[in-house]
Amino acid sequence: MKKYFYITTTLPYINADPHIGFSMEIIRADAIARLKRLLGYQVFFNTGSDEHGQKIYQKAKEKNLDPKNYCDQQVEKFHLLKEVLNLSYDRFIRSTNENHIKAAQEFWRLSKKNGDIYKAKYQVKYCIGCELEKTESELVNNRCPIHPNQEIEIIEEENYFFRFSRYQKSLLDFYEKNPNFIKPLFRFEELKNFVKKGLKDFSISRVKEKMPWGIPIPGDDSQVMYVWFDALINYISTLGWPENRENFEKFWPGTQIAGKDNLRQQGAMWQAMLISVNLPLSKQIFIEGFITNNGQKMSKSLGNVINPVLIVKKYGTDALRFYLLKEIPNFNDGNFSDKRMKELYNSDLANQLGNLVSRLTNLASQDNIKLTKPNEKIIKKNLINLEKMIDKFQFNEAVNFIWEKIKQLNKKIDIFSPWKKSKEKRKRFLKQSLTDLYLISINLKPFLPQTAERIINELSYNINKIPQLFPKIK
């Protein structure tokens, strides 16, 4: 019987270039997808781009471009990440895709039919940076703490609303029955406290005359969908909902990864929307922290946003993947510094992994040793150990688990000193060591896929010395 697994990132807003924070999110999702494939799952890995809303509309106006043309230009920078970060996603969905637009409109019709969409006049304080309404208690000096450089706007108009308030009990009951729904637990408690305080219906449309860039609302040409309502539906439209029910039912519900600023949207708003149209709720949501730059919050105004493309040019794809998976805490904020990047690159990648591969293949080539591959049971046992960690979003622990094996093999070579032993003893030792290295490489495939594939390919034929995989950086 086939096992199905679905994982999705959030859709990054494309009004700015890709940054290292989203790179971490998608690399973690990629590592999970790769590991599940190795274990025999049929995986659907989704990512994409969020392309509607006021921020996009304003950026397009600044550049004298049609919003769709602006999005077409910007999205190419996100497509580039597939090669730069060596990603294995199955679908890149754009919220401007025709199938997504149709799915969002059908979702709207169903929710309205079920009595959850109504029209009303309202006045609200609104942060364009978050594309979210803000209460007084969420503001600091009348500014959004996440986007303190942007003024809060006052929106006063007649819009459609979603009956979020209707779903407080349903959500709390679901949370009670699914204690691992949100990881980490402290974020889950934060979400539950938010829902317990009472839910307020939220606006899900904008007046087209003021802000025309959005999905048209079925039956009302004067309004377009609010960007959050539209974008969240991508998680099911990418699977073919509502037309391709067979594919949808294979993979949904799925696992989601999101930043801590997405907690309420993913964990409460989206789940209430799913209840409204009688669809299963998400399987699990992992909530990450932010990445700081040398301890400082990244922002465009400070000019300290880290471009992942530049990091890869300097250190390589697998080096960046290694840093983000090993060094950044699984759930809390973490820091990126070039100094620490260089330290880890030279100590862990060059000295430990690179030297191990280089000297072991050099010794094996001198004695013409051939690889004996480990049996499938041993390979699977190691992968299952990694899966237990990854299923808990423990990337640091998974990488350290593999690195312990690298250190142990290096130590074994040092202690045994094969160059001092008889030919027969040396061959026996090197044969086992190559098998151990092959197993390490299989374990590395989800995390450092380029490096792992290169080692595996080299070990599978006549073994020659593999040059240093990670030349030291001074």
Side-chain angles (χ1 to χ4, degrees):
M1 186 179 173
K2 280 189 177 177
K3 300 180 291 182
Y4 296 93
F5 181 81
Y6 173 48
I7 186 159
T8 181
T9 68
T10 53
L11 299 193
Y13 219 40
I14 61 170
N15 66 316
D17 292 352
H19 57 77
I20 200 164
F22 178 66
S23 298
M24 176 176 72
E25 182 177 320
I26 201 167
I27 284 169
R28 285 172 165 178
D30 184 71
I32 294 171
R34 286 177 183 272
L35 180 58
K36 293 292 184 181
R37 289 191 196 105
L38 281 172
L39 285 162
Y41 287 82
Q42 188 171 330
V43 172
F44 193 98
F45 172 18
N46 176 62
T47 191
S49 53
D50 186 357
E51 301 184 16
H52 290 122
Q54 196 167 349
K55 283 193 285 189
I56 298 288
Y57 183 62
Q58 287 181 343
K59 276 285 185 182
K61 277 178 71 177
E62 284 172 22
K63 296 178 179 290
N64 294 315
L65 287 171
D66 171 81
K68 181 60 165 61
N69 290 339
Y70 170 74
C71 290
D72 288 344
Q73 289 180 18
Q74 279 293 106
V75 79
E76 288 306 313
K77 297 172 185 178
F78 288 83
H79 282 311
L80 183 66
L81 289 182
K82 185 163 194 178
E83 182 181 347
V84 170
L85 302 178
N86 191 14
L87 304 170
S88 64
Y89 55 75
D90 299 288
R91 177 86 196 277
F92 186 103
I93 187 167
R94 298 177 62 180
S95 62
T96 50
N97 289 156
E98 194 60 36
N99 73 300
H100 173 73
I101 291 169
K102 287 179 180 176
Q105 289 174 326
E106 179 59 16
F107 197 103
W108 180 286
R109 288 187 195 98
L110 289 172
S111 187
K112 189 176 182 185
K113 182 182 173 184
N114 292 337
D116 284 332
I117 293 177
Y118 65 94
K119 208 172 189 181
K121 287 184 178 177
Y122 83 123
Q123 184 186 75
V124 70
K125 291 187 174 184
Y126 188 78
C127 171
I128 295 174
C130 295
E131 293 275 18
L132 285 173
E133 299 166 9
K134 296 290 176 178
T135 62
E136 286 295 336
S137 63
E138 291 176 300
L139 302 176
V140 178
N141 297 323
N142 204 38
R143 300 259 175 159
C144 168
I146 299 172
H147 299 96
N149 298 321
Q150 296 191 24
E151 287 191 18
I152 289 292
E153 288 203 0
I154 304 294
I155 293 178
E156 189 171 5
E157 57 189 36
E158 188 176 44
N159 291 156
Y160 287 94
F161 282 76
F162 176 72
R163 291 190 196 278
F164 196 29
S165 57
R166 189 180 192 178
Y167 292 107
Q168 180 185 25
K169 185 177 185 306
S170 299
L171 287 171
L172 291 173
D173 287 348
F174 175 76
Y175 298 158
E176 186 68 29
K177 290 172 188 171
N178 297 274
N180 293 312
F181 177 60
I182 300 280
K183 289 289 186 181
L185 185 59
F186 71 88
R187 293 288 177 213
F188 201 8
E189 290 303 316
E190 185 183 323
L191 181 67
K192 285 189 274 191
N193 289 334
F194 164 72
V195 175
K196 282 174 186 174
K197 286 176 185 175
L199 301 175
K200 184 181 172 186
D201 296 352
F202 60 88
S203 169
I204 56 170
S205 74
R206 295 292 178 264
V207 174
K208 190 174 182 179
E209 190 179 354
K210 294 181 183 177
M211 207 292 292
W213 184 234
I215 294 176
I217 285 173
D220 188 345
D221 289 338
S222 70
Q223 304 253 339
V224 296
M225 279 186 209
Y226 165 56
V227 61
W228 269 107
F229 190 88
D230 139 33
L232 289 166
I233 297 162
N234 94 86
Y235 302 128
I236 59 173
S237 67
T238 193
L239 295 170
W241 185 90
E243 285 93 357
N244 191 344
R245 289 278 176 170
E246 184 184 350
N247 195 61
F248 171 71
E249 287 168 10
K250 274 182 191 173
F251 289 103
W252 188 260
T255 300
Q256 299 174 219
I257 299 179
K260 65 182 182 181
D261 55 340
N262 263 251
L263 175 63
R264 294 179 186 181
Q265 297 93 306
Q266 309 295 334
M269 288 166 61
W270 171 228
Q271 307 311 315
M273 287 165 61
L274 287 165
I275 299 170
S276 172
V277 297
N278 300 309
L279 290 176
L281 278 62
S282 302
K283 182 181 177 183
Q284 192 171 40
I285 304 174
F286 292 115
I287 301 293
E288 304 180 311
F290 291 153
I291 296 184
T292 56
N293 183 349
N294 291 311
Q296 191 176 37
K297 187 179 185 294
M298 284 188 280
S299 76
K300 284 177 282 183
S301 59
L302 292 172
N304 67 345
V305 176
I306 296 168
N307 184 337
V309 177
L310 297 180
I311 302 296
V312 168
K313 280 182 180 175
K314 183 174 180 181
Y315 293 100
T317 298
D318 277 357
L320 177 58
R321 290 176 67 107
F322 178 75
Y323 186 99
L324 295 177
L325 292 166
K326 174 186 167 60
E327 187 70 4
I328 303 298
N330 297 317
F331 296 113
N332 294 310
D333 292 354
N335 187 53
F336 182 91
S337 79
D338 191 70
K339 182 185 176 187
R340 180 62 179 152
M341 177 88 194
K342 191 184 292 183
E343 284 173 2
L344 274 180
Y345 178 96
N346 285 331
S347 64
D348 291 35
L349 295 175
N351 284 348
Q352 292 169 7
L353 177 58
N355 282 347
L356 169 65
V357 172
S358 186
R359 69 173 176 162
L360 188 52
T361 54
N362 181 44
L363 289 165
S365 67
Q366 289 173 17
D367 280 333
N368 199 26
I369 307 292
K370 298 286 189 293
L371 171 70
T372 302
K373 291 184 181 179
N375 67 50
E376 289 300 317
K377 276 188 177 179
I378 293 173
I379 290 173
K380 193 168 184 182
K381 183 182 175 184
N382 273 264
L383 292 175
I384 287 170
N385 284 334
L386 289 173
E387 184 185 34
K388 286 174 184 173
M389 298 175 215
I390 292 304
D391 282 351
K392 295 176 184 174
F393 213 64
Q394 293 175 336
F395 296 99
N396 309 154
E397 292 82 351
V399 173
N400 288 335
F401 171 81
I402 299 168
W403 240 257
E404 276 306 307
K405 293 181 179 296
I406 291 168
K407 290 175 186 175
Q408 286 168 16
L409 186 51
N410 268 318
K411 192 174 180 181
K412 272 170 68 179
I413 295 169
D414 288 340
I415 292 169
F416 187 78
S417 302
W419 49 88
K420 294 179 181 177
K421 298 296 188 289
S422 68
K423 191 172 185 180
E424 189 179 326
K425 285 184 178 178
R426 184 170 69 244
K427 279 189 169 185
R428 195 160 52 242
F429 175 83
L430 292 174
K431 209 168 183 61
Q432 181 57 53
S433 296
L434 285 178
T435 303
D436 293 342
L437 179 59
Y438 182 87
L439 192 56
I440 287 167
S441 303
I442 295 287
N443 291 345
L444 278 174
K445 282 179 83 171
F447 311 104
L448 277 63
Q450 287 177 351
T451 304
E453 285 296 340
R454 183 173 174 193
I455 298 168
I456 289 165
N457 289 339
E458 294 278 359
L459 294 183
S460 298
Y461 300 100
N462 290 330
I463 295 171
N464 295 305
K465 180 184 176 182
I466 299 175
Q468 174 58 270
L469 296 168
F470 297 95
K472 278 200 171 183
I473 293 176
K474 293 182 179 178

